[in-house]
Amino acid sequence: MTKQIIIERTLKAINQLPEDKAEEISDFADFVFKKYEEQELSKGIQKLASESNAFDFLETEEELYTVSDLKVVYNG
């Protein structure tokens, strides 16, 4: 089913409903759209962070401590 057919079918159903029920559908559509926007924004932020060079220094940082530096070994 194409997006246009879905829209037409939904509009037809909304036109047959009383005003309060049509308003509920409008509120739900707003909710779904805001949720979609948040997901897209989150994906964009994740992409920016993953492509960023901000934490590259961690890859070249030398190890300050080794296992031999431990005075007490915890064996749980």
Side-chain angles (χ1 to χ4, degrees):
M1 190 177 308
T2 67
K3 184 176 179 179
Q4 187 60 38
I5 292 172
I6 294 168
I7 291 169
E8 289 171 8
R9 195 174 109 198
T10 304
L11 285 174
K12 183 179 176 184
I14 291 171
N15 284 328
Q16 294 175 357
L17 292 172
E19 186 175 335
D20 63 323
K21 296 299 180 186
E23 191 171 344
E24 283 183 39
I25 292 173
S26 176
D27 291 344
F28 180 69
D30 288 341
F31 167 76
V32 171
F33 180 70
K34 286 177 185 172
K35 187 175 177 182
Y36 171 76
E37 275 187 322
E38 289 173 6
Q39 288 173 345
E40 290 300 304
L41 181 61
S42 184
K43 285 180 191 176
I45 291 171
Q46 287 175 353
K47 183 178 180 193
L48 283 174
S50 69
E51 294 174 355
S52 171
N53 296 329
F55 296 103
D56 284 353
F57 70 93
L58 293 173
E59 294 176 12
T60 58
E61 186 175 19
E62 67 181 77
E63 293 293 326
L64 298 177
Y65 302 103
T66 64
V67 175
S68 61
D69 292 323
L70 294 175
K71 292 183 180 179
V72 176
V73 178
Y74 178 74
N75 292 320

mmCIF file of all heavy atoms in Angstrom, residues 24-71:
data_model
loop_
_atom_site.group_PDB
_atom_site.id
_atom_site.type_symbol
_atom_site.label_atom_id
_atom_site.label_comp_id
_atom_site.label_asym_id
_atom_site.label_seq_id
_atom_site.Cartn_x
_atom_site.Cartn_y
_atom_site.Cartn_z
ATOM 1 N N GLU A 24 -8.635 13.034 18.769
ATOM 2 C CA GLU A 24 -7.782 11.994 19.360
ATOM 3 C C GLU A 24 -6.788 11.472 18.326
ATOM 4 O O GLU A 24 -5.617 11.250 18.638
ATOM 5 C CB GLU A 24 -8.635 10.829 19.870
ATOM 6 C CG GLU A 24 -9.335 11.082 21.171
ATOM 7 C CD GLU A 24 -10.106 9.862 21.653
ATOM 8 O OE1 GLU A 24 -9.592 8.721 21.492
ATOM 9 O OE2 GLU A 24 -11.211 10.035 22.184
ATOM 10 N N ILE A 25 -7.266 11.279 17.113
ATOM 11 C CA ILE A 25 -6.381 10.789 16.049
ATOM 12 C C ILE A 25 -5.311 11.836 15.746
ATOM 13 O O ILE A 25 -4.139 11.506 15.542
ATOM 14 C CB ILE A 25 -7.192 10.420 14.795
ATOM 15 C CG1 ILE A 25 -8.055 9.198 15.099
ATOM 16 C CG2 ILE A 25 -6.273 10.148 13.608
ATOM 17 C CD1 ILE A 25 -9.030 8.822 14.029
ATOM 18 N N SER A 26 -5.707 13.098 15.735
ATOM 19 C CA SER A 26 -4.741 14.172 15.503
ATOM 20 C C SER A 26 -3.688 14.201 16.603
ATOM 21 O O SER A 26 -2.488 14.345 16.316
ATOM 22 C CB SER A 26 -5.473 15.514 15.442
ATOM 23 O OG SER A 26 -4.555 16.569 15.305
ATOM 24 N N ASP A 27 -4.108 14.045 17.846
ATOM 25 C CA ASP A 27 -3.167 14.012 18.968
ATOM 26 C C ASP A 27 -2.214 12.827 18.846
ATOM 27 O O ASP A 27 -1.009 12.950 19.086
ATOM 28 C CB ASP A 27 -3.909 13.935 20.305
ATOM 29 C CG ASP A 27 -4.649 15.210 20.646
ATOM 30 O OD1 ASP A 27 -4.366 16.265 20.036
ATOM 31 O OD2 ASP A 27 -5.539 15.157 21.537
ATOM 32 N N PHE A 28 -2.757 11.678 18.449
ATOM 33 C CA PHE A 28 -1.920 10.491 18.288
ATOM 34 C C PHE A 28 -0.911 10.690 17.156
ATOM 35 O O PHE A 28 0.256 10.317 17.287
ATOM 36 C CB PHE A 28 -2.776 9.250 18.024
ATOM 37 C CG PHE A 28 -1.965 8.003 17.847
ATOM 38 C CD1 PHE A 28 -1.288 7.447 18.919
ATOM 39 C CD2 PHE A 28 -1.856 7.397 16.610
ATOM 40 C CE1 PHE A 28 -0.519 6.307 18.767
ATOM 41 C CE2 PHE A 28 -1.090 6.258 16.442
ATOM 42 C CZ PHE A 28 -0.426 5.709 17.520
ATOM 43 N N ALA A 29 -1.353 11.299 16.058
ATOM 44 C CA ALA A 29 -0.446 11.569 14.941
ATOM 45 C C ALA A 29 0.679 12.500 15.387
ATOM 46 O O ALA A 29 1.841 12.302 15.013
ATOM 47 C CB ALA A 29 -1.214 12.158 13.764
ATOM 48 N N ASP A 30 0.348 13.514 16.182
ATOM 49 C CA ASP A 30 1.375 14.412 16.718
ATOM 50 C C ASP A 30 2.371 13.648 17.585
ATOM 51 O O ASP A 30 3.579 13.864 17.493
ATOM 52 C CB ASP A 30 0.743 15.538 17.540
ATOM 53 C CG ASP A 30 0.015 16.560 16.695
ATOM 54 O OD1 ASP A 30 0.269 16.626 15.474
ATOM 55 O OD2 ASP A 30 -0.816 17.300 17.265
ATOM 56 N N PHE A 31 1.851 12.751 18.421
ATOM 57 C CA PHE A 31 2.698 11.940 19.291
ATOM 58 C C PHE A 31 3.654 11.082 18.470
ATOM 59 O O PHE A 31 4.869 11.040 18.738
ATOM 60 C CB PHE A 31 1.835 11.054 20.192
ATOM 61 C CG PHE A 31 2.590 9.977 20.900
ATOM 62 C CD1 PHE A 31 3.383 10.269 21.998
ATOM 63 C CD2 PHE A 31 2.518 8.663 20.462
ATOM 64 C CE1 PHE A 31 4.099 9.267 22.645
ATOM 65 C CE2 PHE A 31 3.225 7.665 21.100
ATOM 66 C CZ PHE A 31 4.017 7.964 22.195
ATOM 67 N N VAL A 32 3.124 10.404 17.460
ATOM 68 C CA VAL A 32 3.951 9.528 16.619
ATOM 69 C C VAL A 32 5.009 10.348 15.891
ATOM 70 O O VAL A 32 6.175 9.946 15.796
ATOM 71 C CB VAL A 32 3.074 8.731 15.619
ATOM 72 C CG1 VAL A 32 3.925 7.995 14.602
ATOM 73 C CG2 VAL A 32 2.177 7.757 16.372
ATOM 74 N N PHE A 33 4.620 11.519 15.392
ATOM 75 C CA PHE A 33 5.567 12.368 14.669
ATOM 76 C C PHE A 33 6.682 12.850 15.590
ATOM 77 O O PHE A 33 7.858 12.828 15.219
ATOM 78 C CB PHE A 33 4.851 13.566 14.037
ATOM 79 C CG PHE A 33 5.774 14.466 13.276
ATOM 80 C CD1 PHE A 33 6.338 14.036 12.081
ATOM 81 C CD2 PHE A 33 6.099 15.713 13.752
ATOM 82 C CE1 PHE A 33 7.209 14.851 11.375
ATOM 83 C CE2 PHE A 33 6.970 16.536 13.061
ATOM 84 C CZ PHE A 33 7.527 16.105 11.868
ATOM 85 N N LYS A 34 6.351 13.266 16.804
ATOM 86 C CA LYS A 34 7.373 13.731 17.747
ATOM 87 C C LYS A 34 8.323 12.597 18.121
ATOM 88 O O LYS A 34 9.528 12.803 18.240
ATOM 89 C CB LYS A 34 6.716 14.325 18.987
ATOM 90 C CG LYS A 34 6.109 15.684 18.723
ATOM 91 C CD LYS A 34 5.398 16.244 19.933
ATOM 92 C CE LYS A 34 4.710 17.552 19.569
ATOM 93 N NZ LYS A 34 3.868 18.060 20.620
ATOM 94 N N LYS A 35 7.777 11.413 18.293
ATOM 95 C CA LYS A 35 8.611 10.245 18.607
ATOM 96 C C LYS A 35 9.569 9.964 17.447
ATOM 97 O O LYS A 35 10.752 9.691 17.653
ATOM 98 C CB LYS A 35 7.717 9.039 18.878
ATOM 99 C CG LYS A 35 8.442 7.830 19.373
ATOM 100 C CD LYS A 35 7.464 6.732 19.739
ATOM 101 C CE LYS A 35 8.190 5.493 20.173
ATOM 102 N NZ LYS A 35 7.303 4.394 20.492
ATOM 103 N N TYR A 36 9.063 10.058 16.226
ATOM 104 C CA TYR A 36 9.888 9.858 15.033
ATOM 105 C C TYR A 36 10.994 10.913 14.967
ATOM 106 O O TYR A 36 12.153 10.590 14.704
ATOM 107 C CB TYR A 36 9.012 9.918 13.780
ATOM 108 C CG TYR A 36 9.787 9.934 12.498
ATOM 109 C CD1 TYR A 36 10.372 8.777 12.003
ATOM 110 C CD2 TYR A 36 9.952 11.112 11.768
ATOM 111 C CE1 TYR A 36 11.096 8.790 10.824
ATOM 112 C CE2 TYR A 36 10.669 11.140 10.595
ATOM 113 C CZ TYR A 36 11.241 9.972 10.128
ATOM 114 O OH TYR A 36 11.970 9.993 8.966
ATOM 115 N N GLU A 37 10.634 12.171 15.233
ATOM 116 C CA GLU A 37 11.630 13.254 15.222
ATOM 117 C C GLU A 37 12.733 13.001 16.242
ATOM 118 O O GLU A 37 13.915 13.189 15.944
ATOM 119 C CB GLU A 37 10.972 14.596 15.548
ATOM 120 C CG GLU A 37 10.351 15.298 14.387
ATOM 121 C CD GLU A 37 9.871 16.684 14.771
ATOM 122 O OE1 GLU A 37 9.353 16.864 15.886
ATOM 123 O OE2 GLU A 37 10.027 17.586 13.944
ATOM 124 N N GLU A 38 12.350 12.557 17.434
ATOM 125 C CA GLU A 38 13.336 12.278 18.480
ATOM 126 C C GLU A 38 14.269 11.147 18.073
ATOM 127 O O GLU A 38 15.477 11.205 18.327
ATOM 128 C CB GLU A 38 12.634 11.942 19.789
ATOM 129 C CG GLU A 38 11.971 13.130 20.446
ATOM 130 C CD GLU A 38 11.141 12.757 21.668
ATOM 131 O OE1 GLU A 38 11.167 11.573 22.086
ATOM 132 O OE2 GLU A 38 10.475 13.652 22.210
ATOM 133 N N GLN A 39 13.716 10.120 17.431
ATOM 134 C CA GLN A 39 14.541 9.003 16.981
ATOM 135 C C GLN A 39 15.531 9.458 15.911
ATOM 136 O O GLN A 39 16.704 9.071 15.935
ATOM 137 C CB GLN A 39 13.669 7.874 16.430
ATOM 138 C CG GLN A 39 12.905 7.127 17.486
ATOM 139 C CD GLN A 39 11.918 6.121 16.905
ATOM 140 O OE1 GLN A 39 11.600 6.157 15.715
ATOM 141 N NE2 GLN A 39 11.427 5.228 17.735
ATOM 142 N N GLU A 40 15.061 10.278 14.976
ATOM 143 C CA GLU A 40 15.936 10.777 13.924
ATOM 144 C C GLU A 40 17.026 11.680 14.503
ATOM 145 O O GLU A 40 18.179 11.604 14.091
ATOM 146 C CB GLU A 40 15.132 11.533 12.859
ATOM 147 C CG GLU A 40 14.244 10.622 12.016
ATOM 148 C CD GLU A 40 15.033 9.565 11.269
ATOM 149 O OE1 GLU A 40 15.950 9.927 10.509
ATOM 150 O OE2 GLU A 40 14.737 8.364 11.450
ATOM 151 N N LEU A 41 16.663 12.510 15.452
ATOM 152 C CA LEU A 41 17.639 13.376 16.106
ATOM 153 C C LEU A 41 18.679 12.546 16.843
ATOM 154 O O LEU A 41 19.884 12.807 16.758
ATOM 155 C CB LEU A 41 16.930 14.328 17.081
ATOM 156 C CG LEU A 41 17.813 15.319 17.816
ATOM 157 C CD1 LEU A 41 18.535 16.240 16.852
ATOM 158 C CD2 LEU A 41 16.976 16.132 18.793
ATOM 159 N N SER A 42 18.216 11.517 17.543
ATOM 160 C CA SER A 42 19.126 10.639 18.272
ATOM 161 C C SER A 42 20.083 9.931 17.301
ATOM 162 O O SER A 42 21.287 9.827 17.578
ATOM 163 C CB SER A 42 18.329 9.619 19.071
ATOM 164 O OG SER A 42 19.171 8.828 19.853
ATOM 165 N N LYS A 43 19.571 9.455 16.182
ATOM 166 C CA LYS A 43 20.429 8.814 15.175
ATOM 167 C C LYS A 43 21.465 9.793 14.658
ATOM 168 O O LYS A 43 22.633 9.435 14.460
ATOM 169 C CB LYS A 43 19.592 8.303 14.000
ATOM 170 C CG LYS A 43 18.811 7.057 14.277
ATOM 171 C CD LYS A 43 18.023 6.656 13.037
ATOM 172 C CE LYS A 43 17.018 5.577 13.323
ATOM 173 N NZ LYS A 43 16.196 5.267 12.132
ATOM 174 N N GLY A 44 21.049 11.033 14.421
ATOM 175 C CA GLY A 44 21.978 12.048 13.939
ATOM 176 C C GLY A 44 23.077 12.339 14.934
ATOM 177 O O GLY A 44 24.249 12.474 14.570
ATOM 178 N N ILE A 45 22.708 12.429 16.199
ATOM 179 C CA ILE A 45 23.702 12.681 17.253
ATOM 180 C C ILE A 45 24.673 11.506 17.350
ATOM 181 O O ILE A 45 25.887 11.698 17.469
ATOM 182 C CB ILE A 45 23.004 12.947 18.600
ATOM 183 C CG1 ILE A 45 22.279 14.288 18.547
ATOM 184 C CG2 ILE A 45 24.001 12.901 19.752
ATOM 185 C CD1 ILE A 45 21.371 14.553 19.734
ATOM 186 N N GLN A 46 24.143 10.284 17.274
ATOM 187 C CA GLN A 46 25.008 9.106 17.335
ATOM 188 C C GLN A 46 25.978 9.083 16.161
ATOM 189 O O GLN A 46 27.159 8.745 16.313
ATOM 190 C CB GLN A 46 24.170 7.829 17.345
ATOM 191 C CG GLN A 46 23.455 7.585 18.643
ATOM 192 C CD GLN A 46 22.527 6.378 18.586
ATOM 193 O OE1 GLN A 46 22.309 5.784 17.533
ATOM 194 N NE2 GLN A 46 21.970 6.012 19.727
ATOM 195 N N LYS A 47 25.492 9.459 14.991
ATOM 196 C CA LYS A 47 26.348 9.473 13.799
ATOM 197 C C LYS A 47 27.447 10.523 13.958
ATOM 198 O O LYS A 47 28.614 10.252 13.656
ATOM 199 C CB LYS A 47 25.521 9.758 12.551
ATOM 200 C CG LYS A 47 26.320 9.712 11.282
ATOM 201 C CD LYS A 47 25.474 9.939 10.062
ATOM 202 C CE LYS A 47 26.361 9.883 8.832
ATOM 203 N NZ LYS A 47 25.719 10.367 7.647
ATOM 204 N N LEU A 48 27.070 11.710 14.426
ATOM 205 C CA LEU A 48 28.079 12.756 14.640
ATOM 206 C C LEU A 48 29.130 12.313 15.646
ATOM 207 O O LEU A 48 30.332 12.531 15.451
ATOM 208 C CB LEU A 48 27.410 14.041 15.131
ATOM 209 C CG LEU A 48 26.686 14.876 14.093
ATOM 210 C CD1 LEU A 48 25.951 16.032 14.768
ATOM 211 C CD2 LEU A 48 27.652 15.412 13.055
ATOM 212 N N ALA A 49 28.686 11.700 16.728
ATOM 213 C CA ALA A 49 29.625 11.259 17.765
ATOM 214 C C ALA A 49 30.541 10.157 17.248
ATOM 215 O O ALA A 49 31.743 10.150 17.555
ATOM 216 C CB ALA A 49 28.864 10.778 18.992
ATOM 217 N N SER A 50 30.004 9.242 16.459
ATOM 218 C CA SER A 50 30.826 8.133 15.971
ATOM 219 C C SER A 50 31.834 8.588 14.922
ATOM 220 O O SER A 50 32.902 8.005 14.789
ATOM 221 C CB SER A 50 29.943 7.020 15.407
ATOM 222 O OG SER A 50 29.322 7.438 14.206
ATOM 223 N N GLU A 51 31.506 9.645 14.189
ATOM 224 C CA GLU A 51 32.416 10.147 13.162
ATOM 225 C C GLU A 51 33.346 11.234 13.690
ATOM 226 O O GLU A 51 34.240 11.681 12.992
ATOM 227 C CB GLU A 51 31.605 10.693 11.979
ATOM 228 C CG GLU A 51 30.830 9.619 11.245
ATOM 229 C CD GLU A 51 29.912 10.171 10.179
ATOM 230 O OE1 GLU A 51 29.787 11.412 10.051
ATOM 231 O OE2 GLU A 51 29.300 9.357 9.465
ATOM 232 N N SER A 52 33.153 11.624 14.919
ATOM 233 C CA SER A 52 33.948 12.690 15.523
ATOM 234 C C SER A 52 35.343 12.199 15.886
ATOM 235 O O SER A 52 35.562 11.026 16.164
ATOM 236 C CB SER A 52 33.239 13.197 16.785
ATOM 237 O OG SER A 52 34.084 14.077 17.487
ATOM 238 N N ASN A 53 36.259 13.125 15.906
ATOM 239 C CA ASN A 53 37.632 12.809 16.314
ATOM 240 C C ASN A 53 37.901 13.253 17.749
ATOM 241 O O ASN A 53 39.044 13.269 18.192
ATOM 242 C CB ASN A 53 38.626 13.514 15.376
ATOM 243 C CG ASN A 53 38.505 13.016 13.966
ATOM 244 O OD1 ASN A 53 38.168 11.870 13.739
ATOM 245 N ND2 ASN A 53 38.775 13.883 12.999
ATOM 246 N N ALA A 54 36.850 13.591 18.476
ATOM 247 C CA ALA A 54 36.999 14.157 19.813
ATOM 248 C C ALA A 54 37.708 13.207 20.790
ATOM 249 O O ALA A 54 38.410 13.667 21.691
ATOM 250 C CB ALA A 54 35.636 14.545 20.377
ATOM 251 N N PHE A 55 37.532 11.916 20.632
ATOM 252 C CA PHE A 55 38.114 10.970 21.581
ATOM 253 C C PHE A 55 39.272 10.173 20.989
ATOM 254 O O PHE A 55 39.690 9.158 21.548
ATOM 255 C CB PHE A 55 37.037 10.024 22.110
ATOM 256 C CG PHE A 55 35.984 10.733 22.909
ATOM 257 C CD1 PHE A 55 34.739 11.008 22.357
ATOM 258 C CD2 PHE A 55 36.243 11.150 24.202
ATOM 259 C CE1 PHE A 55 33.774 11.680 23.091
ATOM 260 C CE2 PHE A 55 35.287 11.822 24.944
ATOM 261 C CZ PHE A 55 34.051 12.088 24.380
ATOM 262 N N ASP A 56 39.807 10.629 19.883
ATOM 263 C CA ASP A 56 40.929 9.920 19.254
ATOM 264 C C ASP A 56 42.151 9.846 20.163
ATOM 265 O O ASP A 56 42.939 8.911 20.088
ATOM 266 C CB ASP A 56 41.320 10.581 17.930
ATOM 267 C CG ASP A 56 40.343 10.266 16.819
ATOM 268 O OD1 ASP A 56 39.437 9.423 17.036
ATOM 269 O OD2 ASP A 56 40.477 10.851 15.726
ATOM 270 N N PHE A 57 42.309 10.841 21.032
ATOM 271 C CA PHE A 57 43.464 10.853 21.926
ATOM 272 C C PHE A 57 43.488 9.626 22.840
ATOM 273 O O PHE A 57 44.558 9.211 23.298
ATOM 274 C CB PHE A 57 43.493 12.134 22.767
ATOM 275 C CG PHE A 57 42.415 12.204 23.812
ATOM 276 C CD1 PHE A 57 42.652 11.763 25.097
ATOM 277 C CD2 PHE A 57 41.149 12.697 23.498
ATOM 278 C CE1 PHE A 57 41.661 11.830 26.060
ATOM 279 C CE2 PHE A 57 40.161 12.778 24.456
ATOM 280 C CZ PHE A 57 40.411 12.336 25.740
ATOM 281 N N LEU A 58 42.331 9.022 23.089
ATOM 282 C CA LEU A 58 42.288 7.846 23.958
ATOM 283 C C LEU A 58 42.949 6.634 23.317
ATOM 284 O O LEU A 58 43.445 5.745 24.007
ATOM 285 C CB LEU A 58 40.842 7.520 24.334
ATOM 286 C CG LEU A 58 40.137 8.550 25.213
ATOM 287 C CD1 LEU A 58 38.672 8.188 25.369
ATOM 288 C CD2 LEU A 58 40.814 8.664 26.560
ATOM 289 N N GLU A 59 42.949 6.597 22.008
ATOM 290 C CA GLU A 59 43.538 5.459 21.306
ATOM 291 C C GLU A 59 45.061 5.498 21.347
ATOM 292 O O GLU A 59 45.716 4.462 21.255
ATOM 293 C CB GLU A 59 43.044 5.424 19.860
ATOM 294 C CG GLU A 59 41.556 5.153 19.758
ATOM 295 C CD GLU A 59 41.048 5.224 18.332
ATOM 296 O OE1 GLU A 59 41.855 5.263 17.389
ATOM 297 O OE2 GLU A 59 39.819 5.236 18.171
ATOM 298 N N THR A 60 45.626 6.684 21.460
ATOM 299 C CA THR A 60 47.081 6.814 21.448
ATOM 300 C C THR A 60 47.658 7.027 22.853
ATOM 301 O O THR A 60 48.864 7.149 23.002
ATOM 302 C CB THR A 60 47.506 8.006 20.558
ATOM 303 O OG1 THR A 60 46.898 9.191 21.043
ATOM 304 C CG2 THR A 60 47.091 7.779 19.117
ATOM 305 N N GLU A 61 46.808 7.068 23.848
ATOM 306 C CA GLU A 61 47.256 7.299 25.216
ATOM 307 C C GLU A 61 48.012 6.075 25.730
ATOM 308 O O GLU A 61 47.582 4.940 25.569
ATOM 309 C CB GLU A 61 46.048 7.584 26.117
ATOM 310 C CG GLU A 61 46.411 7.981 27.503
ATOM 311 C CD GLU A 61 45.190 8.369 28.318
ATOM 312 O OE1 GLU A 61 44.072 8.004 27.933
ATOM 313 O OE2 GLU A 61 45.364 9.028 29.339
ATOM 314 N N GLU A 62 49.150 6.310 26.347
ATOM 315 C CA GLU A 62 49.936 5.195 26.866
ATOM 316 C C GLU A 62 49.290 4.635 28.133
ATOM 317 O O GLU A 62 48.593 5.337 28.855
ATOM 318 C CB GLU A 62 51.366 5.638 27.163
ATOM 319 C CG GLU A 62 51.482 6.635 28.302
ATOM 320 C CD GLU A 62 52.896 7.069 28.548
ATOM 321 O OE1 GLU A 62 53.384 7.896 27.757
ATOM 322 O OE2 GLU A 62 53.490 6.591 29.526
ATOM 323 N N GLU A 63 49.547 3.380 28.385
ATOM 324 C CA GLU A 63 49.030 2.726 29.577
ATOM 325 C C GLU A 63 49.820 3.222 30.788
ATOM 326 O O GLU A 63 51.051 3.176 30.801
ATOM 327 C CB GLU A 63 49.161 1.208 29.462
ATOM 328 C CG GLU A 63 48.277 0.590 28.404
ATOM 329 C CD GLU A 63 46.801 0.697 28.735
ATOM 330 O OE1 GLU A 63 46.435 0.636 29.926
ATOM 331 O OE2 GLU A 63 46.018 0.860 27.790
ATOM 332 N N LEU A 64 49.132 3.707 31.792
ATOM 333 C CA LEU A 64 49.808 4.213 32.987
ATOM 334 C C LEU A 64 50.107 3.108 33.991
ATOM 335 O O LEU A 64 51.096 3.176 34.718
ATOM 336 C CB LEU A 64 48.944 5.292 33.652
ATOM 337 C CG LEU A 64 48.681 6.541 32.813
ATOM 338 C CD1 LEU A 64 47.756 7.491 33.569
ATOM 339 C CD2 LEU A 64 49.981 7.241 32.468
ATOM 340 N N TYR A 65 49.235 2.112 34.037
ATOM 341 C CA TYR A 65 49.381 1.035 35.010
ATOM 342 C C TYR A 65 49.252 -0.313 34.323
ATOM 343 O O TYR A 65 48.564 -0.464 33.334
ATOM 344 C CB TYR A 65 48.308 1.152 36.102
ATOM 345 C CG TYR A 65 48.346 2.477 36.830
ATOM 346 C CD1 TYR A 65 47.412 3.470 36.550
ATOM 347 C CD2 TYR A 65 49.328 2.729 37.780
ATOM 348 C CE1 TYR A 65 47.450 4.690 37.214
ATOM 349 C CE2 TYR A 65 49.373 3.947 38.447
ATOM 350 C CZ TYR A 65 48.436 4.922 38.157
ATOM 351 O OH TYR A 65 48.486 6.125 38.808
ATOM 352 N N THR A 66 49.927 -1.300 34.903
ATOM 353 C CA THR A 66 49.821 -2.676 34.415
ATOM 354 C C THR A 66 49.432 -3.566 35.591
ATOM 355 O O THR A 66 49.412 -3.126 36.747
ATOM 356 C CB THR A 66 51.158 -3.167 33.825
ATOM 357 O OG1 THR A 66 52.126 -3.210 34.875
ATOM 358 C CG2 THR A 66 51.636 -2.256 32.696
ATOM 359 N N VAL A 67 49.210 -4.813 35.323
ATOM 360 C CA VAL A 67 48.862 -5.773 36.369
ATOM 361 C C VAL A 67 50.003 -5.894 37.377
ATOM 362 O O VAL A 67 49.786 -6.075 38.571
ATOM 363 C CB VAL A 67 48.522 -7.148 35.750
ATOM 364 C CG1 VAL A 67 48.278 -8.207 36.818
ATOM 365 C CG2 VAL A 67 47.326 -7.018 34.835
ATOM 366 N N SER A 68 51.222 -5.740 36.919
ATOM 367 C CA SER A 68 52.376 -5.866 37.840
ATOM 368 C C SER A 68 52.425 -4.716 38.845
ATOM 369 O O SER A 68 53.126 -4.808 39.859
ATOM 370 C CB SER A 68 53.679 -5.922 37.053
ATOM 371 O OG SER A 68 53.865 -4.741 36.306
ATOM 372 N N ASP A 69 51.694 -3.627 38.599
ATOM 373 C CA ASP A 69 51.645 -2.517 39.542
ATOM 374 C C ASP A 69 50.717 -2.791 40.739
ATOM 375 O O ASP A 69 50.779 -2.079 41.733
ATOM 376 C CB ASP A 69 51.147 -1.241 38.837
ATOM 377 C CG ASP A 69 52.146 -0.730 37.818
ATOM 378 O OD1 ASP A 69 53.363 -0.827 38.073
ATOM 379 O OD2 ASP A 69 51.711 -0.256 36.759
ATOM 380 N N LEU A 70 49.917 -3.823 40.659
ATOM 381 C CA LEU A 70 48.979 -4.138 41.731
ATOM 382 C C LEU A 70 49.708 -4.640 42.975
ATOM 383 O O LEU A 70 50.625 -5.442 42.881
ATOM 384 C CB LEU A 70 47.971 -5.205 41.279
ATOM 385 C CG LEU A 70 47.000 -4.801 40.178
ATOM 386 C CD1 LEU A 70 46.166 -6.003 39.771
ATOM 387 C CD2 LEU A 70 46.110 -3.679 40.655
ATOM 388 N N LYS A 71 49.292 -4.150 44.122
ATOM 389 C CA LYS A 71 49.848 -4.642 45.383
ATOM 390 C C LYS A 71 48.990 -5.765 45.938
ATOM 391 O O LYS A 71 49.481 -6.674 46.566
ATOM 392 C CB LYS A 71 49.930 -3.495 46.392
ATOM 393 C CG LYS A 71 50.940 -2.445 46.001
ATOM 394 C CD LYS A 71 51.056 -1.374 47.036
ATOM 395 C CE LYS A 71 52.089 -0.349 46.583
ATOM 396 N NZ LYS A 71 52.257 0.744 47.518
#
